Amino acid sequence: MKKWIALFVIGGLALLCFFELRKKSASPNVPQPSSAPTARAGNERDVAPTVPAARTNKLTAAPALPDLPEPVRAAQTVMFKYVGAVKPPRFDPTIIAFNMKTNKEGRITSTTITTRSHTAVTTGGFVSLFVSLLDSAAPLEEYERAHSMEKWYQLTGTWTRDEAVAETKLILQRLGQTSVLSRVTSEVYEATPLDMPAPDGQLAHVTPFITVKLKGEDDRLFVTAQYRMEASGPVLTRWTYWP
Amino acid sequence: VSGAYNPNNWPNDGYYNVTEWEVRVTVTSSSSLEGQSPIVATATVAKPQHRPKWQYRSGICVQQDPVKLLSPNIYAANQVEWDNNVDLIFKACWNGAPQVYLSGATKDYSAQGFETMFTRFDWTALKTLVDGRTVPTSGNLVSDLHYLGHGGPNGIGFGISNSTVGQQLTATALKKMMTNGFMFYVCLDGCMTSESPGLLSMFLGGVDKQMTRSDCVGKGKTPCFGLGFKGKVNIAYFNQGTLFHRHFTLMADYYSKLAEPNQITGYLLNTFEDSVNFAKNPNGNGIDPTITHNDDGADMAYVGCTDCFFDDLP
């Protein structure tokens, strides 16, 4: 009798585990169109993943989304126009998530598209945010955010203020935003040198990121461009544009 | 006095893990006149601890009692709109930190609305939460504060009168309280709370100007941010028969932008500065589609890390 009870209990537990596993595999990361901010448990990132597999799981292995809704396809076209003009390195066009934000009248005010390499937010006919998930100063990928600064010692590129400002204005011009360009009244150049330790313990005196801001009257911020100062040259990793 | 700082560990690591740094520098001239001893100059610089390392955050959204009661004849529909605005801010603040009641207990995410301070006992509870002396090892009980109510350049709350004694938090009191820990995020939604950066800086450990994320990394500073208003603010939603939508639209747009996440990883997309910029100029893409430029944002002023994120600190 005891043997049967034990078998019954073990069988029950096995079934429970089976259903739990099924439940988990049946709820992938599906984008939820929502205009409300998303809450997240406060301390879920306290333990950083220790293996690069986490990176693989979230981005590169995420499945492409089939049958995109029309507003997302329109946003995708806007994003491709931006990509054609700016040519961001390591860009992977495979869309793995999207989100449409609406106002209280139900009109879509912005569309967010996440590819395997970048997140783009489009508003109307332009890209208002384009950010690298892996290479920006605050990467949006879990593994990269936990470990990115360990590689900053390699960012030995240099740039003058004039070069950085000129490049930012050139991008704005390539995007066809010449009317906004003519409203720019001041430029802000932010370059903070840091002493970043290399794995051998040596300190590298580098300026890992340079940021240029283009402003108009009343301190209105039109553009924030963040460049990653790689040894081979600056790479635009974060672009915000709000005319 | 010893200590170490590795910028690779930012923002989990602060610059100082000791009570006080003392740097003693002695400079000896390489050459001296024959027969005379070398010239020696010494200088000692003592730097107090900036802030203890923070492992966990918690926050609170509070409103001063009269903000809502100024609306005795509020229409039901307006009440719904008020509640939605307040709820949006409350839920947005969850992206920074779990929210608590005035008692300090964790508030449920589905709970609606701000904590309301009616009496001086409620103010005492708030003071206990922000008081850095309360917990000797980690400082304050809350790291984030969103306040809605009366304000001025020297404090928040009522002016001191017989009926309102104790119902305010002044810069002077904050200076005494913040001896063992400062806060990460403070939004003081009241009149003239950032007329000068003094009041915000009292909450933020003396940070009274804007800085970049790289500045914080290099100097091991906690990525703090404080937002207030230089001038008078229409914080009464319904007052003397007039509805003040624009201020609440401003705050809703700011928090909506600030709390916008990446869908895959959950990390927030927009910096503090970008969120403020959007709220000031929503171009018809904010909560209210008729607003392209929000005049109520003209007085918004901030200090701290402009290109940090609400979820920068774990």
Side-chain angles (χ1 to χ4, degrees):
Chain A
M1 183 63 184
K2 278 182 185 169
K3 199 192 287 177
W4 282 111
I5 291 172
L7 273 173
F8 182 76
V9 170
I10 290 167
L13 284 172
L15 267 175
L16 200 65
C17 289
F18 173 73
F19 283 121
E20 278 299 310
L21 282 173
R22 270 194 62 169
K23 207 159 52 177
K24 275 183 186 168
S25 63
S27 53
N29 265 327
V30 179
Q32 299 294 321
S34 164
S35 60
T38 306
R40 196 187 52 235
N43 301 316
E44 70 185 38
R45 286 178 285 111
D46 282 350
V47 181
T50 52
V51 286
R55 169 178 168 176
T56 309
N57 288 343
K58 282 200 171 159
L59 293 173
T60 53
L65 295 175
D67 302 328
L68 300 171
E70 182 47 41
V72 180
R73 271 208 291 271
Q76 187 185 27
T77 305
V78 173
M79 179 180 74
F80 282 154
K81 194 177 154 196
Y82 170 92
V83 168
V86 176
K87 297 184 175 47
R90 296 187 278 278
F91 175 68
D92 184 335
T94 312
I95 294 177
I96 55 175
F98 63 83
N99 183 42
M100 287 170 281
K101 204 171 177 182
T102 55
N103 64 8
K104 62 184 177 185
E105 291 175 348
R107 182 174 66 85
I108 296 172
T109 53
S110 66
T111 305
T112 305
I113 295 173
T114 297
T115 75
R116 284 182 183 155
S117 61
H118 291 75
T119 284
V121 179
T122 66
T123 306
F126 59 86
V127 168
S128 56
L129 172 67
F130 193 80
V131 57
S132 166
L133 295 166
L134 307 174
D135 297 331
S136 58
L140 296 176
E141 208 279 331
E142 187 100 17
Y143 180 82
E144 285 298 324
R145 186 172 274 208
H147 296 276
S148 69
M149 283 192 285
E150 292 171 5
K151 290 177 269 178
W152 283 10
Y153 74 94
Q154 298 170 339
L155 303 178
T156 54
T158 55
W159 227 9
T160 65
R161 177 197 166 92
D162 288 348
E163 286 171 329
V165 169
E167 175 65 16
T168 308
K169 287 186 172 177
L170 192 63
I171 291 171
L172 202 55
Q173 199 165 19
R174 284 207 299 264
L175 291 169
Q177 307 294 348
T178 47
S179 66
V180 173
L181 194 55
S182 66
R183 289 160 57 203
V184 172
T185 55
S186 64
E187 303 95 10
V188 178
Y189 170 80
E190 292 172 347
T192 305
L194 302 173
D195 289 320
M196 301 305 294
D200 62 3
Q202 294 291 310
L203 287 180
H205 191 67
V206 293
T207 304
F209 292 90
I210 285 177
T211 300
V212 174
K213 295 175 184 172
L214 303 181
K215 293 185 170 184
E217 280 184 12
D218 299 328
D219 223 25
R220 186 166 176 164
L221 186 58
F222 293 135
V223 169
T224 305
Q226 179 197 71
Y227 300 90
R228 184 178 168 92
M229 300 307 294
E230 298 194 354
S232 56
V235 172
L236 181 63
T237 52
R238 183 180 175 90
W239 171 266
T240 59
Y241 171 67
W242 198 245
Chain B
V1 186
S2 64
Y5 170 64
N6 182 345
N8 286 336
N9 297 330
W10 187 91
N12 300 312
D13 207 358
Y15 207 86
Y16 308 114
N17 55 7
V18 290
T19 308
E20 189 175 270
W21 278 86
E22 189 171 300
V23 181
R24 299 187 193 99
V25 180
T26 302
V27 180
T28 307
S29 65
S30 55
S31 61
S32 60
L33 294 172
E34 196 177 337
Q36 291 183 354
S37 57
I39 301 163
V40 177
T42 59
T44 301
V45 179
K47 182 82 178 168
Q49 182 184 39
H50 180 248
R51 192 179 160 180
K53 177 181 172 181
W54 274 70
Q55 283 287 359
Y56 304 100
R57 281 168 64 186
S58 63
I60 189 165
C61 294
V62 289
Q63 63 174 335
Q64 195 187 7
D65 151 34
V67 175
K68 200 170 181 182
L69 297 189
L70 273 175
S71 323
N73 301 315
I74 198 164
Y75 302 117
N78 297 140
Q79 182 69 56
V80 170
E81 194 173 347
W82 162 275
D83 290 342
N84 285 342
N85 270 322
V86 164
D87 197 43
L88 185 147
I89 293 172
F90 170 70
K91 288 194 166 36
C93 285
W94 263 89
N95 285 271
Q99 299 294 297
V100 299
Y101 291 101
L102 274 169
S103 67
T106 304
K107 202 167 182 174
D108 194 90
Y109 176 70
S110 61
Q112 283 206 327
F114 292 176
E115 289 295 277
T116 304
M117 295 185 293
F118 292 100
T119 67
R120 65 188 172 92
F121 300 107
D122 297 325
W123 279 89
T124 303
L126 178 68
K127 287 172 195 171
T128 305
L129 291 174
V130 302
D131 191 341
R133 297 167 302 185
T134 310
V135 183
T137 52
S138 60
N140 326 64
L141 291 168
V142 294
S143 57
D144 296 20
L145 169 67
H146 176 96
Y147 168 79
L148 172 65
H150 285 300
N154 298 315
I156 52 174
F158 287 109
I160 297 175
S161 69
N162 286 340
S163 59
T164 59
V165 170
Q167 295 188 51
Q168 67 279 126
L169 185 50
T170 63
T172 313
L174 278 166
K175 194 175 180 181
K176 289 178 187 164
M177 287 158 60
M178 299 296 197
T179 53
N180 195 35
F182 303 106
M183 301 181 76
F184 166 69
Y185 175 78
V186 178
C187 177
L188 303 179
D189 191 0
C191 295
M192 295 181 286
T193 47
S194 62
E195 189 188 53
S196 72
L199 180 60
L200 289 172
S201 74
M202 289 294 170
F203 284 98
L204 302 174
V207 173
D208 59 359
K209 55 188 172 199
Q210 296 174 8
M211 65 177 92
T212 68
R213 204 166 181 274
S214 289
D215 288 338
C216 294
V217 174
K219 294 169 184 167
K221 289 192 171 180
T222 305
C224 61
F225 186 78
L227 176 66
F229 290 85
K230 285 184 285 186
K232 293 216 167 191
V233 177
N234 292 320
I235 58 162
Y237 183 74
F238 187 85
N239 193 12
Q240 296 177 344
T242 307
L243 279 170
F244 296 116
H245 283 281
R246 293 178 82 88
H247 182 72
F248 290 93
T249 305
L250 180 82
M251 298 312 291
D253 283 344
Y254 163 70
Y255 272 110
S256 297
K257 201 70 178 170
L258 190 64
E260 196 175 336
N262 173 277
Q263 308 101 306
I264 296 291
T265 64
Y267 284 119
L268 300 183
L269 278 173
N270 301 300
T271 64
F272 287 113
E273 187 170 58
D274 285 339
S275 304
V276 171
N277 193 49
F278 175 79
K280 287 181 174 182
N281 306 290
N283 293 347
N285 293 292
I287 300 292
D288 184 341
T290 65
I291 297 177
T292 54
H293 172 75
N294 198 326
D295 294 330
D296 273 37
D299 277 340
M300 257 179 158
Y302 47 90
V303 296
C305 183
T306 54
D307 55 344
C308 283
F309 299 84
F310 204 11
D311 61 348
D312 244 329
L313 197 70

